[in-house]
Structure formats: C-alpha cells, structure tokens
Amino acid sequence: MGIVHIDSVKQGMVLSEDVKDISSRLLLSKGQPIQAKHVRIFKIWGVTEVQVETEPEDDARANADTTPVDTTVATQQTDAIFRHVDTDNPLMSELVRIAIGHRSRTPLEPIPKNNGGIYIQDLSEAPIRSEIVTILKSPKTQLPELPTLVSELNEIVNDPHASAEAIAQVVNKSPSLAALLLKIVNSAFYGFSTKIDSISRAVTLIGIKEITTLAIGVSALRLFKDIPSGLVDVASFFKHSFACGLIARMLAAHKNIQPPEQLFVSGLLHDIGRLILLKHFTGRYSELLHVAASSDSALYTLEKAQLGCRHTDVAKYLLETWKLPPSLADTVFYHHRPSSARDVKRAAVVHLADIIAHGLDLGNSGENCVPRYDAGAVKQLDILPSNLELIVRQAVHQLVFLDAMFQEGAMQ
Ligand SMILES: [Fe+2]
Ligand SMILES: [Fe+2]
C-alpha cells in the first residue's frame, strides 16, 4: 500500500482509500481498480496523488525525492516578494509556506531590486482623467480587433441549441487557432489519455462553453504575440496569464462559483490592459516598467501616478469595445480591489489567483512583488487554508505542460 503520484498511476492498481476532489466529492471508491478514464477524471478534478493497495513500483519510489532541501534562500526570496502582504492572515501564511516549498524545488529567479523607498499602493477610485484614455478612445487609434470568428463564437456560446459541429466549423476557419486549441486540449490541462484530433471531438468531450471561452481567451491574447520581447518577456506574461486563469478556474470549481470557464478567461485576460499600454504607448510604458523594476511601489500604483490610468481601466475599455460580457469586464476591472466589484466573489477569485501566481513566480506581468491582498473580499470565498496546497499543486502541474507549449512558440 502506498501513495502514488497521479502521473505514476498504472491501470489496474487498486485504490486503498476513496479518491475525492477538493470539495470532498467522491470520484472513485476504495477497492476499485483504476482505469485510464479514472486518471483523466482525477486530473480534471485536481487530484495529484492516490492511495493504492498495490505497492508502488521501484522506479516510482526512486522518483520520490526525499533529499532534505535547504529552504534558506527560498525563504528570503519569498519574504521579499510578500513584503507588502499581511502574512499573519491564515490564507496568506499558508501561501507563504507553499511558496517557500515551491521555490525550494524549482530554479530560483532573481528578485527584482527595489530602492527601499516607501511602498505606496494607491487604490483610490478617483475618476480617470488621462490623455491615454482619450487617445485610446479616439477613432484614430486602431485597437486590436478580435477576429470575426470570436464574435461568431460569442453568439454560439449563448445559443442553447448550438452543436459541436457548428463550433468546430467556426474554429476551423483559423487553422492556427484550431491547432493551438487541440494542443491545449491534449495537454495535462485536461488529462485525456487518448489523443483528441478534431475540434468537434474536443467540443463533445469538453463542452461547448468550455471550448468557446478557451478559444475567445486564447484568440484575444494572441493578438499581442508580436510585442517585442525586449519590452516585456512575452512568454512569461502569457505564463502569468494562464497561471492566473488556471488557478481561477480551480478556485471557482472548488467553491462552485459559476461559470468556471468565464473565470478562467477572466484570469487569462486580467492584465491585458498592460499589453495595450505596451502596444500603443510603448515608450512611456516600457519606461514605467523600468522604474517599477527598481522601485518599491507597485506597478499598478505607478501606472496611476504617471499615466493617469491603470491597466485595469484600459482593459475594461478594451473588453467593452470587444463586446465581451460585462460580467467578465467587471471581474477584470476589479481584480486589484475586488471589494468594489459588482460581483465581489468572482473578482476575489481572480484577485487571489493573481496573488498565488505572483507568490509562486508563475510568470510575470511586470509587478516586482505580490500585489496588495484584499482579505475582506477573499474572506467571502471561504477557502480553507488546508485546501490551498491541493489547488496550487494541480494548477502548477497543468501549467508545466502549457508552459512548454509557449516556449515552443505555440501562441505564434
Ligand atoms: Fe493586474
Ligand atoms: Fe497579474
């Protein structure tokens, strides 16, 4: 009998304990032999380990790293990036513990220097008076346009009678999008044991809403794939976006906040305003990124102080222009101050996902520390600290596969 990582599970192993998801829902009872379809279900629902009667094989044991790890550097790094977060809060205290463990096992990235100045995070709701917003709203400014197929998908997703073939027909108009979606569908993100080779099959297996929202989110991000890598590490930006989306989806599924696929896309697009600022105000924003890298102030605050608007203002305008659902724009707009959102819980999901992604260094969108934590809003989610590690581990597991795809240029 022993604990086996989900990737080491072999068909026929017999469970010695019930397998439950993070909401304690029974997925498979003890005594049952594990089949390939069970492994897929376990992965989808965030299970990373199972207890089996069969002895884990020697190679699986050999893979279990029991070497004591020196956490000194990881602790220093984690303390540094959490310097503006109240780590006495039970959920944040647990996140710090998880982050130290994660940093101890993964290659360490240097912590950006700061000048030791006073940390300011301006969260005021003063009306936006910024030439940037005026310029963005000017007819002369050509904001990136969503491909027409996204509008078509948007219509289909709201049609209760839409068929898998109808979705597939629209998605297949863009062979590169179809190929990218199939890569994601075949990654550990969904955990299918057999290869899915068509969009219509993917729609049948995953669902119309899931695949269409995924297509919409990925299409929107891909509009910015040509931002020069000298300005921002685009792969790292996409990684941060996907990490936030994955974690938001896990949190939403855990707390039954609907619809989880829209929370995924909200996470995916939460910092899209920064890409607009980089694309249309390249000089000013890259200068700001430079200042943020050597400052103790949050980039979010510097945006307001130096540009007169924040990436969230820009994102809201963009998402409204694209006619994406107002609830999605609201969640994105308030991801740094969820208490003010119309739907506090949804905004809190993306807010917490962003904080987890920053805390574990899962990509970066320009901030050099974990953003301010809105404990009041997150409290409404009622997430037990003891459930956090499972959510984080599964998201990290899924992200590894997606990240490898981005490094291979899958978003091109
Ligand atoms: Fe943000
Ligand atoms: Fe972010």
Side-chain angles (χ1 to χ4, degrees):
M1 189 165 77
I3 296 174
V4 180
H5 189 274
I6 201 72
D7 288 336
S8 301
V9 168
K10 298 202 169 50
Q11 284 197 56
M13 283 180 165
V14 176
L15 288 177
S16 61
E17 291 293 332
D18 291 344
V19 178
K20 296 178 180 174
D21 69 7
I22 44 186
S23 303
S24 297
R25 187 174 41 165
L26 181 65
L27 300 178
L28 192 64
S29 307
K30 72 176 179 181
Q32 296 290 320
I34 304 172
Q35 298 171 20
K37 65 179 181 184
H38 298 137
V39 175
R40 182 173 68 78
I41 291 167
F42 296 163
K43 286 182 174 178
I44 288 173
W45 292 108
V47 175
T48 53
E49 291 169 343
V50 294
Q51 293 225 40
V52 295
E53 288 176 0
T54 322
E55 278 285 315
E57 294 189 4
D58 290 343
D59 58 344
R61 281 187 188 183
N63 286 338
D65 187 2
T66 53
T67 314
V69 178
D70 182 357
T71 59
T72 313
V73 177
T75 304
Q76 286 169 353
Q77 292 212 329
T78 305
D79 287 346
I81 63 156
F82 276 86
R83 62 190 179 273
H84 304 306
V85 173
D86 172 15
T87 50
D88 288 336
N89 174 283
L91 204 57
M92 287 300 99
S93 168
E94 174 65 0
L95 182 57
V96 167
R97 188 190 68 77
I98 296 167
I100 291 171
H102 180 75
R103 279 160 197 277
S104 304
R105 292 187 298 271
T106 48
L108 299 168
E109 291 180 19
I111 295 293
K113 293 192 184 87
N114 68 66
N115 62 7
I118 298 168
Y119 177 70
I120 316 160
Q121 181 141 268
D122 176 10
L123 296 169
S124 68
E125 295 193 50
I128 302 302
R129 283 189 212 90
S130 167
E131 61 179 306
I132 288 206
V133 174
T134 311
I135 293 169
L136 281 177
K137 290 184 176 176
S138 154
K140 285 184 191 161
T141 305
Q142 297 213 318
L143 287 175
E145 283 184 23
L146 276 183
T148 46
L149 72 84
V150 170
S151 321
E152 293 175 44
L153 286 173
N154 234 343
E155 280 174 27
I156 292 176
V157 81
N158 293 316
D159 177 359
H161 305 296
S163 65
E165 285 69 32
I167 306 278
Q169 253 183 16
V170 176
V171 171
N172 286 329
K173 286 182 188 173
S174 167
S176 61
L177 175 64
L180 177 54
L181 287 179
L182 286 177
K183 274 192 174 180
I184 295 174
V185 166
N186 282 301
S187 76
F189 185 41
Y190 289 103
F192 291 109
S193 55
T194 51
K195 194 160 188 260
I196 316 298
D197 55 7
S198 73
I199 292 293
S200 56
R201 176 108 179 101
V203 175
T204 309
L205 289 169
I206 294 169
I208 286 175
K209 287 204 169 181
E210 181 87 12
I211 203 83
T212 37
T213 45
L214 186 61
I216 291 168
V218 168
S219 300
L221 270 190
R222 285 172 90 219
L223 293 172
F224 300 92
K225 64 189 182 210
D226 57 351
I227 286 182
S229 54
L231 296 175
V232 68
D233 182 341
V234 179
S236 183
F237 194 103
F238 286 159
K239 181 176 179 177
H240 175 71
S241 305
F242 269 87
C244 191
L246 286 172
I247 299 166
R249 196 180 77 144
M250 294 289 293
L251 292 169
H254 176 45
K255 299 311 296 185
N256 198 20
I257 295 170
Q258 298 296 327
E261 68 276 359
Q262 198 184 89
L263 268 303
F264 171 69
V265 175
S266 300
L268 207 56
L269 302 184
H270 76 290
D271 280 336
I272 199 167
R274 290 202 166 127
L275 294 175
I276 284 286
L277 287 165
L278 273 167
K279 197 167 178 123
H280 290 271
F281 304 90
T282 309
R284 290 174 69 179
Y285 204 71
S286 47
E287 196 179 312
L288 199 58
L289 285 172
H290 192 68
V291 172
S294 58
S295 162
D296 203 32
S297 291
L299 177 58
Y300 179 67
T301 302
L302 292 170
E303 287 170 350
K304 180 75 187 302
Q306 304 210 7
L307 304 176
C309 68
R310 302 169 176 127
H311 65 284
T312 44
D313 301 303
V314 174
K316 184 169 187 266
Y317 177 64
L318 182 73
L319 298 180
E320 285 172 354
T321 305
W322 282 349
K323 298 192 170 43
L324 291 180
S327 55
L328 188 138
D330 187 67
T331 305
V332 168
F333 182 58
Y334 287 108
H335 75 265
H336 283 282
R337 45 191 177 104
S339 289
S340 305
R342 272 189 210 102
D343 190 323
V344 174
K345 283 190 176 181
R346 288 164 53 92
V349 162
V350 177
H351 173 71
L352 180 58
D354 188 32
I355 283 181
I356 295 172
H358 275 292
L360 272 74
D361 266 343
L362 304 176
N364 195 289
S365 67
E367 290 286 5
N368 65 12
C369 57
V370 176
R372 171 192 161 270
Y373 177 59
D374 186 339
V378 175
K379 196 172 178 199
Q380 293 197 26
L381 297 177
D382 193 24
I383 292 171
L384 292 175
S386 55
N387 285 336
L388 197 60
E389 184 158 21
L390 191 53
I391 293 168
V392 169
R393 280 169 62 185
Q394 181 61 11
V396 168
H397 174 72
Q398 292 174 336
L399 191 64
V400 168
F401 289 83
L402 291 179
D403 193 35
M405 278 177 18
F406 300 142
Q407 299 300 338
E408 291 163 9
M411 292 290 274
Q412 299 300 313

